[in-house]
Amino acid sequence: MRSPYPTGIDHVRAVRGKAARHVTYNNTRRDPRAAEFYLSKEWRELRPVIMSVYEYVDIYALYVEHQLITLKDSDPIHHIIELEEDWEQRLNPLNLIPLSHRTHNTITALYKQSNASMKATQTQLRSLIDYHFKEAGGYEKVLCDRFLVAPPLFFGENSPRENQDTGE
């Protein structure tokens, strides 16, 4: 019985076909700055960390569609605030959520419906993140524990920001 999965030369052709599709997309449709960003060292280092923070689970599918989808390394990480909207958010862990390809297509379609739909979807994604990490003390705590974001600076006694507004 023949395996349903490509092997040997068929596998190489399948992998090259997928790679060629991404190269074509990057060269013809994606903003050149974004294409360069997705190849950057910073992105390649952050990507697996974000996947591990979410334990390779698509939380949109889990909580909205009630399906447990285990992600693969090849699945996309979605920028809640997209690169075109705010370039400065591109490496912000609080702006990233890993999704399956199917879920990413769903989110992209919701973003494209209208500005109101995009804003509502962004709010929904942030709510799902908050809900998912609530028992762990919140997403920001999880990220601080993994040294992905700095702990917040507090005003008050002995704060280096204590006299910031007065210029002292």
Side-chain angles (χ1 to χ4, degrees), residues 94-148:
L94 299 170
N95 189 48
L96 302 172
I97 182 171
L99 303 168
S100 67
H101 285 284
R102 183 180 56 76
T103 300
H104 191 258
N105 291 340
T106 299
I107 299 296
T108 300
L110 290 168
Y111 274 36
K112 288 181 179 181
Q113 276 182 4
S114 68
N115 194 42
S117 177
M118 179 179 71
K119 296 294 182 197
T121 304
Q122 290 170 333
T123 299
Q124 180 185 34
L125 291 172
R126 294 199 186 285
S127 295
L128 293 172
I129 292 168
D130 289 342
Y131 180 78
H132 185 73
F133 291 104
K134 187 176 184 175
E135 288 184 17
Y139 190 49
E140 289 188 25
K141 180 185 181 316
V142 170
L143 293 175
C144 285
D145 289 350
R146 293 183 185 229
F147 305 106
L148 287 174

